[in-house]
């Protein structure tokens, strides 16, 4: 299975926790992990390679020509890194046909094979929406981003990418132009661009299974009439996503599933020593 991660040095430790949880809960599976990073040194990549090799998986450092970003808006707010996910099909090896993108602030607590082998049904991506049940947030985002073909606003933290289709349809000039014309209105830049340009070409997947926002546990518990309790999450959910500014590796974090996160941090030294 092909996995894509993007990060800077601040997310190196969370990446290891995410990878450890993925290895532990997908026993026997070989992963090819493609890493696009800002600020990581050669020693960091060597460390990751040794880490992955303990579970018979491989780290691939993605090198690319910076000229790919010629014409891209760049500033303190709009860094080059924001384009990595959007231009993944151009940056990754051409022989890859699909890849699973995962943010580093995720725990993988069940097997990923069903999502990985999903039928894209002609879409560019498969992703989940974190919108409210009434659809108000999705409607506001449709108006804000002027993509009235899209029914939902998708979270970009977990995405199956149809690389073959992306190479055919995603043009970097469209992305650069949209950002240049709409920079002031973008709240979550790369995610906003994804939804604005390609939201109508994203296959919806179940967020409670494949991109569960841990902040929503109580809300979803109530909405499901207590069906989606802690036992249900542990048994069924594949990806726990620690969205928002507060993260479980921060001192004083009190969010849901913090103890589970600490558990997987400890398992790094036990199972991957």
């Amino acid at each position: 299975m092909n996995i894509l991660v993007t990060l800077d040095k601040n997310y190196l430790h969370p990446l290891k926790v995410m990878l450890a949880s993925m290895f532990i809960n997908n026993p026997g599976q070989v992963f090819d992990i493609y890493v696009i990073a800002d600020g990581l040194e050669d020693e960091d990549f060597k460390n990751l390679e040794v880490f992955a090799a303990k579970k018979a998986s491989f780290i691939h450092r993605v090198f690319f020509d910076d000229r790919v970003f010629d014409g891209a808006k760049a500033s303190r707010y709009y860094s080059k890194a924001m384009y990595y996910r959007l231009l993944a099909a151009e940056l990754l090896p051409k022989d890859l046909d699909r890849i699973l993108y995962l943010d580093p602030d995720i725990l993988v607590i069940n097997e990923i094979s069903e999502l990985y082998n999903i039928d894209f049904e002609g879409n560019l991506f498969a992703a989940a929406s974190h919108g409210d049940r009434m659809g108000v947030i999705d409607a506001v985002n449709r108006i804000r981003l002027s993509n009235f073909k899209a029914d939902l606003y998708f979270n970009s933290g977990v995405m199956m990418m149809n690389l073959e289709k992306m190479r055919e349809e995603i043009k970097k000039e469209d992305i650069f132009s949209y950002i240049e014309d709409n920079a002031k209105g973008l709240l979550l830049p790369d995610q906003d661009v994804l939804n604005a340009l390609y939201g109508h070409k994203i296959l919806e997947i179940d967020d409670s299974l494949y991109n569960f926002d841990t902040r929503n546990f109580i809300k979803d518990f109530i909405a499901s009439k207590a069906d989606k309790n802690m036992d249900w999450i542990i048994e069924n959910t594949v990806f726990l996503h620690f969205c928002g500014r507060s993260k479980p590796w921060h001192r004083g974090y009190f969010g849901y599933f913090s103890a589970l996160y600490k558990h997987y941090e400890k398992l790094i030294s036990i199972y991957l020593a």
Side-chain angles (χ1 to χ4, degrees):
M1 292 184 187
N2 302 316
I3 306 295
L4 172 63
V5 296
T6 64
L7 72 155
D8 60 25
K9 195 149 187 166
N10 293 324
Y11 278 84
L12 189 56
H13 174 70
L15 173 62
K16 285 186 175 181
V17 179
M18 186 272 279
L19 292 178
S21 69
M22 183 173 71
F23 296 151
I24 291 166
N25 290 303
N26 291 267
Q29 178 64 55
V30 175
F31 294 99
D32 283 290
I33 303 155
Y34 292 83
V35 180
I36 307 177
D38 259 352
L40 265 63
E41 300 171 0
D42 290 344
E43 189 63 30
D44 296 321
F45 279 98
K46 289 178 183 177
N47 187 280
L48 284 173
E49 287 169 3
V50 171
F51 185 76
K54 291 176 180 178
K55 290 299 179 181
S57 291
F58 306 92
I59 297 291
H60 304 275
R61 186 176 183 177
V62 179
F63 294 95
F64 51 85
D65 189 336
D66 267 358
R67 287 177 295 181
V68 169
F69 301 99
D70 286 351
K73 183 180 180 66
S75 67
R76 183 178 178 181
Y77 185 56
Y78 295 98
S79 69
K80 184 172 65 177
M82 70 167 281
Y83 297 99
Y84 290 161
R85 280 180 290 192
L86 299 170
L87 297 179
E90 188 161 345
L91 301 178
L92 290 167
K94 303 306 179 189
D95 60 335
L96 301 184
D97 63 346
R98 66 173 56 210
I99 199 164
L100 172 61
Y101 173 82
L102 295 174
D103 273 349
D105 58 348
I106 279 172
L107 284 180
V108 184
I109 63 171
N110 279 296
E111 292 188 2
I112 68 174
S113 57
E114 185 171 347
L115 175 62
Y116 189 85
N117 294 304
I118 196 170
D119 182 351
F120 286 105
E121 300 177 15
N123 290 286
L124 300 174
F125 305 92
S129 170
H130 284 168
D132 61 294
R133 304 304 175 194
M134 300 298 292
V136 175
I137 294 175
D138 293 320
V140 169
N141 281 313
R142 275 198 301 276
I143 295 170
R144 182 171 66 86
L145 301 174
S146 298
N147 185 354
F148 297 100
K149 296 179 182 178
D151 293 325
L152 302 169
Y153 181 85
F154 294 94
N155 181 274
S156 59
V158 177
M159 293 190 294
M160 275 303 303
M161 295 180 165
N162 185 349
L163 295 175
E164 288 185 331
K165 194 78 170 174
M166 289 170 67
R167 293 186 192 104
E168 294 173 4
E169 298 193 24
I170 293 182
K171 308 301 179 187
K172 64 180 182 180
E173 294 79 12
D174 295 339
I175 294 169
F176 298 161
S177 177
Y178 183 87
I179 292 174
E180 186 68 34
D181 294 341
N182 298 276
K184 292 182 179 180
L186 300 179
L187 303 178
L188 300 169
D190 57 336
Q191 185 168 281
D192 279 354
V193 175
L194 173 78
N195 281 275
L197 295 179
Y198 312 111
H200 57 294
K201 296 182 179 180
I202 301 176
L203 178 68
E204 182 186 10
I205 55 178
D206 188 342
D207 66 313
S208 65
L209 295 176
Y210 297 122
N211 192 345
F212 184 78
D213 185 339
T214 58
R215 299 171 300 180
N216 292 339
F217 174 67
I218 290 299
K219 183 176 70 174
D220 283 14
F221 175 79
I222 294 171
S224 69
K225 297 181 180 179
D227 286 340
K228 293 183 178 177
N229 56 23
M230 189 65 71
D231 289 337
W232 189 95
I233 296 293
I234 297 301
E235 180 69 24
N236 295 282
T237 297
V238 179
F239 304 112
L240 288 176
H241 193 176
F242 295 89
C243 300
R245 291 184 179 182
S246 183
K247 302 296 185 184
W249 58 90
H250 291 162
R251 181 183 294 273
Y253 178 81
F254 293 108
Y256 296 105
F257 304 98
S258 58
L260 185 62
Y261 193 89
K262 296 298 182 185
H263 174 68
Y264 278 102
E265 280 189 305
K266 186 174 182 179
L267 289 182
I268 291 178
S269 60
I270 296 175
Y271 289 101
L272 299 174

